[in-house]
Amino acid sequence: MLCTRLTNARFLTMDPDHPVAHDLGIWRGRIVGLDEAVTSLPAREVIDLQGATVLPGFIDAHVHLAWTGLKADTVSIAGRTRIEDVLAVVAQAADRAGPPGGWLSIAGYDQRALGRHLTAAELDTVSAGRKVFLLHDSGHGCVVNSAVLDLLPAGIPHENGFLAEGAMGAARALRLPYSQRELAEAIGRAARTALSEGVTACAEAGIGGALFGHSPVELGAYQLAREEGLLPLRVQLMVAADRLGPVAAHRDDGIPRALDLGLRTGFGGDRLSVGALKVYTDGGMMARTAALSRPYEGLDHAGQLQDDPGVLADTIVAGHLAGWQLAVHAIGDRAADLALDALERAQRLRPRPGARHRIEHAGLIRPDQLPRFARLGVSAVVQPSFLRHFGDDYAAVMGAERAPWLYRGRAFLDHGIPLVGSSDRPVTDGSPLRAVQFMVERTSGSGQVIGPDEGVTVDEALRAYTVAGAFACHWEDTLGSLTPGKAADLVVLGDDPRRVDPSRIGDIEVVATYVDGGEAGSNRSLPDWT
C-alpha cells in the first residue's frame, strides 16, 4: 500500500525517461512510481491536485539563510534616496536602542540610491553614543561611525567611514557573535520564506568566516534549528575557507590545511550536511569591489581581490588537496582568472575528476574564459535576479562591450558548462520562478534587455533550479527530478511555466510544497481532496 498517491496533475518530472506524468506514488518519503505503476495500488491518502502543475522541489544553490532572517528583523533604510531621510531613521533607531555604548545595526544600505556614500561624521550626528554599523546590501561593505573607527586596528583602510571586504570583516570582529538561539530562529524565518516559494533544498553560502559568518560555532545553530523543528527544508552548509588551519596529518594524506578533525564535503545526513568550501576571491559589483581585468566605466579602478593572489590560490589548492568540493566566489573576470588558474593547478597536483568545483556568481565572464570552465568541469552558479534588480547599473558600469557577458546563460550551456540557478538571498529576491523568468527574458526592471543572446529556454531555466542544482550539490541520486527512488520533494504550481507567456512565469502561484512526501508549506488549500 502507498502512503500517498497524488493524482490529476501534470508532473513535469525533469527525467527524460518519463518527462510527463499524471499520477505519482509516495511511500515513506520516496517516490515509488509514476502513472500506471501506481494508479491501481491502494493508498492511505489520495490527493486530487485538480489539474495543477507539479515540478521537483526547487534547489537554490547559493543562499544566506541566517543573514536573511537577521535582516528581516533589523531596522532598514531600504528605499530612502535622501541622506537626511537615512539619518532620520538612524536617529530614531538610536533613540529606541539599549544603553549608550552598545551596537546599532541598520540594514538596507546602498550608496547608489543616495548618489554617494554616507560618512562617519554624518552618522556621528545621530548615533547617540552608540556604535553604528550600516551593512551594504551586497554584504561586501559597511559604513560605520567614529565610535567604531576608533576601535579598529591601525592601518585598516576606510573612506570616510566606508569599509570594504576585509576592512568590514575587521569591524564585524569587534562585535560579540550572535547566539546559537538567535541564529536558529533567524534561519527558521528565512527557511519558511524559501519554502513558501517552492524551495525544498538550498546551499548556505558560507558559515563561520570573517566576511559572512555570524559565530565561530555557527554550524551548531543549524543543528539546533534542525533539532527544534525550525528547519523545514534541506540545507547544505558551505564552510568559509578562513576556517581551515594547518594540520599535522600523515604525509601520505597530502593535506596541508584542514578543518578540525578533517571534516569535509559530504559529512552529515539528508536534511543537514556539510557542502563545499567557500573561498572568496573578490568583492561585489554593487560595492564596486568585484575584481575586473580593466576599470569600471567612469571609475579609475578595477575593483579588488580579497587578498594577495598567491595566498588566495594556495587556499584553493589546499582545499582541493584536503578533499573538499570548492565553491569559489568570483564575480569579476580577473577573479575568475585567478580561480581557474588555481583550480587547474589543484587538479594537476591531485586529479579529482568528480570534485565538481563551482564558481559562485561568475558575474562577468569573458568569451576566452568559457572553454577553461568547460575543460575543468566547473559549474557556473549564477543569480539571474541580479539582472532584474541591478541590471541597468551593472550594464552601465561594464559598458557596451562587457555588458552582454553579465551573468551568462546560453554561452555556459553551449560550452557544456553546468548552469546552476540561485538567488544569493537576501541580496535579491529569492523566488526561483521569478529567476526562471529573468533567465529567459534577460530584462531589467526598467525593461532594458541585457545580453539577449544569453537567454535560455524555459526548460533549460527549470533544469538550472532542479537537475543542475542537485548535481552541483552532489544530490543527484536523491533530488532534482521526480524519479522513482528519489525523495518526494516537489512543488505544486498554479500554472505550467512552459505554457504561459514568459512574462507571466514569475507570477505563477506556488500552491504547496512537499518535502519527503509531506506537505511542508501551503499558500492555499486545494479543493476536493479525497
Side-chain angles (χ1 to χ4, degrees):
M1 174 180 286
L2 300 173
C3 290
T4 306
R5 187 172 79 246
L6 304 179
T7 188
N8 189 19
R10 181 176 175 80
F11 294 92
L12 306 181
T13 68
M14 309 307 292
D15 182 344
D17 292 335
H18 197 143
V20 180
H22 301 285
D23 285 77
L24 181 145
I26 299 169
W27 172 249
R28 293 186 175 178
R30 295 277 171 166
I31 299 168
V32 294
L34 302 168
D35 290 340
E36 62 275 3
V38 297
T39 52
S40 61
L41 297 178
R44 294 175 185 168
E45 180 182 36
V46 177
I47 300 177
D48 185 341
L49 292 178
Q50 299 288 296
T53 296
V54 182
L55 279 159
F58 295 126
I59 298 170
D60 191 333
H62 185 119
V63 302
H64 300 277
L65 291 180
W67 177 17
T68 300
L70 292 170
K71 183 177 180 179
D73 235 21
T74 301
V75 174
S76 177
I77 55 172
R80 270 72 174 188
T81 58
R82 300 192 310 164
I83 299 291
E84 53 267 38
D85 292 341
V86 168
L87 295 177
V89 173
V90 176
Q92 188 177 38
D95 288 341
R96 294 198 304 264
W103 285 86
L104 175 62
S105 295
I106 303 290
Y109 176 67
D110 186 344
Q111 85 285 356
R112 298 171 305 171
L114 301 173
R116 65 169 176 84
H117 278 298
L118 283 170
T119 68
E122 288 169 329
L123 289 177
D124 290 344
T125 65
V126 294
S127 58
R130 290 164 179 81
K131 304 177 190 73
V132 182
F133 184 101
L134 273 67
L135 180 62
H136 197 277
D137 266 346
S138 68
H140 287 273
C142 64
V143 177
V144 300
N145 65 345
S146 297
V148 178
L149 294 178
D150 290 344
L151 296 174
L152 289 172
I156 296 293
H158 72 90
E159 183 180 339
N160 297 321
F162 178 69
L163 303 165
E165 310 303 343
M168 178 195 68
R172 288 173 63 105
L174 298 171
R175 309 179 61 174
L176 282 174
Y178 288 94
S179 72
Q180 288 192 348
R181 169 63 56 189
E182 290 174 297
L183 291 174
E185 291 175 355
I187 290 161
R189 286 193 293 272
R192 289 190 294 274
T193 299
L195 194 74
S196 73
E197 295 171 338
V199 175
T200 58
C202 64
E204 165 64 56
I207 61 169
L211 277 182
F212 286 90
H214 299 93
S215 166
V217 291
E218 194 166 0
L219 190 150
Y222 283 85
Q223 287 183 289
L224 180 62
R226 173 75 179 118
E227 290 163 358
E228 300 203 350
L230 300 175
L231 201 60
L233 40 70
R234 304 178 199 278
V235 178
Q236 190 178 86
L237 302 172
M238 299 185 203
V239 177
D242 54 12
R243 302 298 298 177
L244 295 185
V247 291
H250 193 285
R251 64 177 180 274
D252 289 351
D253 292 337
I255 299 175
R257 282 187 275 168
L259 206 63
D260 287 347
L261 302 179
L263 194 71
R264 59 178 172 83
T265 303
F267 183 82
D270 65 339
R271 284 295 191 107
L272 184 63
S273 61
V274 174
L277 185 73
K278 179 73 176 293
V279 183
Y280 294 93
T281 64
D282 69 345
M285 224 169 268
M286 293 168 64
R288 309 303 193 236
T289 54
L292 310 179
S293 57
R294 65 176 195 262
Y296 291 87
E297 290 288 316
L299 299 177
D300 60 359
H301 70 86
Q304 66 187 73
L305 295 172
Q306 291 284 0
D307 206 333
D308 176 82
V311 171
L312 293 171
D314 287 347
T315 299
I316 291 170
V317 171
H320 174 89
L321 294 177
W324 287 89
Q325 178 190 25
L326 294 166
V328 185
H329 168 114
I331 292 183
D333 60 329
R334 178 159 55 109
D337 279 333
L338 185 153
L340 294 168
D341 287 345
L343 290 171
E344 187 168 19
R345 174 156 68 97
Q347 290 283 18
R348 191 165 57 245
L349 289 171
R350 181 175 296 171
R352 287 175 53 211
R356 298 189 197 172
H357 296 321
R358 310 156 38 143
I359 299 290
E360 308 298 303
H361 306 296
L364 186 77
I365 301 300
R366 302 187 309 269
D368 64 285
Q369 293 174 314
L370 294 166
R372 296 195 68 197
F373 267 78
R375 188 170 67 252
L376 289 168
V378 175
S379 295
V381 183
V382 300
Q383 296 76 42
S385 292
F386 280 16
L387 291 178
R388 177 70 170 182
H389 293 276
F390 315 130
D392 292 339
D393 175 60
Y394 287 7
V397 296
M398 290 301 106
E401 180 188 2
R402 293 182 291 182
W405 306 342
L406 288 165
Y407 294 93
R408 291 177 178 270
R410 172 56 50 205
F412 286 133
L413 292 176
D414 286 351
H415 282 80
I417 300 162
L419 176 65
V420 183
S422 69
S423 67
D424 205 15
R425 183 194 306 264
V427 177
T428 57
D429 171 17
S431 164
L433 284 171
R434 283 192 282 274
V436 165
Q437 176 179 327
F438 305 150
M439 291 182 86
V440 175
E441 293 185 321
R442 305 277 304 181
T443 303
S444 73
S446 74
Q448 178 183 183
V449 180
I450 300 168
D453 291 342
E454 291 294 333
V456 302
T457 68
V458 174
D459 275 332
E460 289 166 336
L462 290 173
R463 284 184 65 84
Y465 280 89
T466 53
V467 176
F471 178 84
C473 296
H474 291 270
W475 277 331
E476 73 277 10
D477 289 340
T478 55
L479 304 178
S481 66
L482 302 181
T483 301
K486 291 191 177 184
D489 290 8
L490 45 90
V491 55
V492 181
L493 303 178
D495 214 331
D496 185 342
R498 303 189 306 184
R499 294 185 170 186
V500 303
D501 187 274
S503 65
R504 291 182 49 217
I505 293 173
D507 295 325
I508 293 174
E509 181 184 10
V510 175
V511 177
T513 310
Y514 288 76
V515 177
D516 281 333
E519 188 176 356
S522 177
N523 292 330
R524 67 173 169 85
S525 296
L526 286 163
D528 298 328
W529 285 12
T530 58

